[in-house]
Amino acid sequence: MRVLPRGRLSYGMQLPVQSQSTLYAEPWEAAAGPAELLAVARAADRLGFAYLAVCDHVAIPRRLAAAMGTVWYDPVATLGWLAAATERVRLLSHVAVAALRHPLLTAKQYATLDQLSGGRLILGVGAGHVREEFEALGVDFARRGALLDETVDALKAALGPEEFPDFRGERFAFSGLGQAPRPVQTPRPPLWIGGSSPAAVRRAAIRGDGWLPQGDPRDRLPGQLARLRALREEAGIDEPAEIGAITEPLYVGEPGWDVGRRTLTGAPERLAESLRAYAAMGVDQIQVRFRCRDHTELTDQMAAFAADVAPHLDD
């Protein structure tokens, strides 16, 4: 089940402000809020970005708060709000920690989002990594992988074409329970799997319509992709998964400030040449992140990328 154009490298982005881990948030985001979030989302919609993404955490324990922060906007509420302010860009949960919730609840929320957005949902799910979050909600952290596998299977049924879906698993079972509105997308919205562990790659290969790696370095991606394709072939799945990659931080042009040694900078042609390496590996979409000092610089970088870099991604 593909939703991106074939034969070209698409690009999307995770939104700023809505999640503020110290691993990637810029300093200006701490004082930003809905106005800046909305401006960036509208820019992504206007500039041809394939999707905008929102993360998911319910609560962050004190031991992790210094690194992860506690600012994590709810993905369904945030994407639903942005759906009304955008027209074409797809709306991605990257990723929803689906095992924290009953699949019928998740299906109700995201089917409604797909309906309200005119069929723009991409449901990205992952296993999660914060033990205390699971414990607070009464979910077995040690069994989260197996729980997510069954949740994905249940979501495929619950988001499918049947108003009264049937599903029976070890943990979840439902039959004769109708949910409407149904998703706009048929037979269901695409379901992408996040994570880079062996279990996550297997899950993406066997159960997913797409794969969302968690920042795998370039030299690791070819091996991961080869394994994913082999597992998919072994399972008898003919349709290729839509493959994503998170790029290095970007800055279009020559920055007049320290953007960090890992950031790709320079002329648009140089950036495009570097990013085309992802397509050569078999990647279908790249998730880009721009270094910036405020939201205006961010939208300026997005505009420069869309105008001067993106046209050369498929050269």
Side-chain angles (χ1 to χ4, degrees):
M1 180 184 303
R2 298 181 65 92
V3 294
L4 301 176
R6 294 179 183 270
R8 57 175 292 193
L9 185 62
S10 298
Y11 55 95
M13 66 180 291
Q14 187 177 134
L15 289 171
V17 181
Q18 53 82 32
S19 68
Q20 296 188 26
S21 167
T22 58
L23 292 176
Y24 50 73
E26 299 285 359
W28 64 267
E29 295 179 50
E36 291 83 1
L37 183 63
L38 183 61
V40 176
R42 282 177 167 161
D45 191 48
R46 182 176 67 252
L47 295 168
F49 282 67
Y51 64 79
L52 47 84
V54 175
C55 296
D56 180 28
H57 278 291
V58 173
I60 306 301
R62 288 187 185 277
R63 70 178 179 87
L64 296 175
M68 292 181 64
T70 58
V71 177
W72 295 85
Y73 286 35
D74 178 78
V76 178
T78 306
L79 291 174
W81 178 62
L82 294 173
T86 56
E87 296 180 356
R88 50 147 300 278
V89 67
R90 284 190 168 267
L91 309 168
L92 168 65
S93 57
H94 187 184
V95 290
V97 186
L100 290 176
R101 305 166 180 93
H102 193 286
L104 280 181
L105 174 60
T106 298
K108 167 60 74 174
Q109 292 173 316
Y110 284 98
T112 301
L113 175 57
D114 196 61
Q115 178 67 224
L116 292 175
S117 67
R120 289 189 279 145
L121 169 68
I122 302 172
L123 179 53
V125 301
H129 65 95
V130 179
R131 177 183 294 273
E132 291 92 335
E133 204 168 30
F134 282 76
E135 292 173 347
L137 296 174
V139 182
D140 187 350
F141 179 78
R143 296 286 297 163
R144 68 193 184 282
L147 181 57
L148 178 58
D149 286 343
E150 185 170 317
T151 298
V152 169
D153 294 342
L155 283 171
K156 288 182 177 180
L159 290 169
E162 298 299 326
E163 182 180 354
F164 293 84
D166 289 304
F167 180 79
R168 184 164 298 278
E170 293 183 13
R171 301 161 185 83
F172 305 116
F174 45 85
S175 179
L177 296 172
Q179 284 192 327
R182 303 304 301 157
V184 171
Q185 298 179 83
T186 56
R188 57 173 172 77
L191 210 155
W192 292 358
I193 307 295
S196 295
S197 69
V201 173
R202 173 175 288 277
R203 185 175 297 119
I206 295 173
R207 288 181 160 86
D209 303 308
W211 180 46
L212 297 165
Q214 294 299 107
D216 292 65
R218 293 195 191 203
D219 60 357
R220 190 181 179 212
L221 271 174
Q224 293 277 68
L225 293 181
R227 180 171 180 270
L228 186 146
R229 293 186 185 108
L231 288 168
R232 208 164 173 86
E233 184 177 352
E234 288 173 15
I237 303 172
D238 295 328
E239 180 73 12
E242 291 195 286
I243 304 299
I246 300 175
T247 74
E248 301 84 351
L250 305 176
Y251 194 93
V252 183
E254 297 299 335
W257 55 290
D258 183 8
V259 295
R261 62 180 181 84
R262 289 189 61 250
T263 301
L264 298 179
T265 67
E269 296 81 3
R270 177 177 179 270
L271 295 182
E273 180 181 10
S274 178
L275 296 174
R276 285 197 297 270
Y278 285 103
M281 297 177 197
V283 169
D284 299 294
Q285 62 88 4
I286 50 174
Q287 186 172 125
V288 295
R289 179 177 292 276
F290 302 96
R291 294 302 318 274
C292 53
R293 291 164 291 181
D294 55 40
H295 87 275
T296 300
E297 185 171 26
L298 174 53
T299 55
D300 287 346
Q301 281 287 300
M302 293 167 63
F305 182 89
D308 301 325
V309 180
H312 301 291
L313 290 178
D314 302 312
D315 288 354

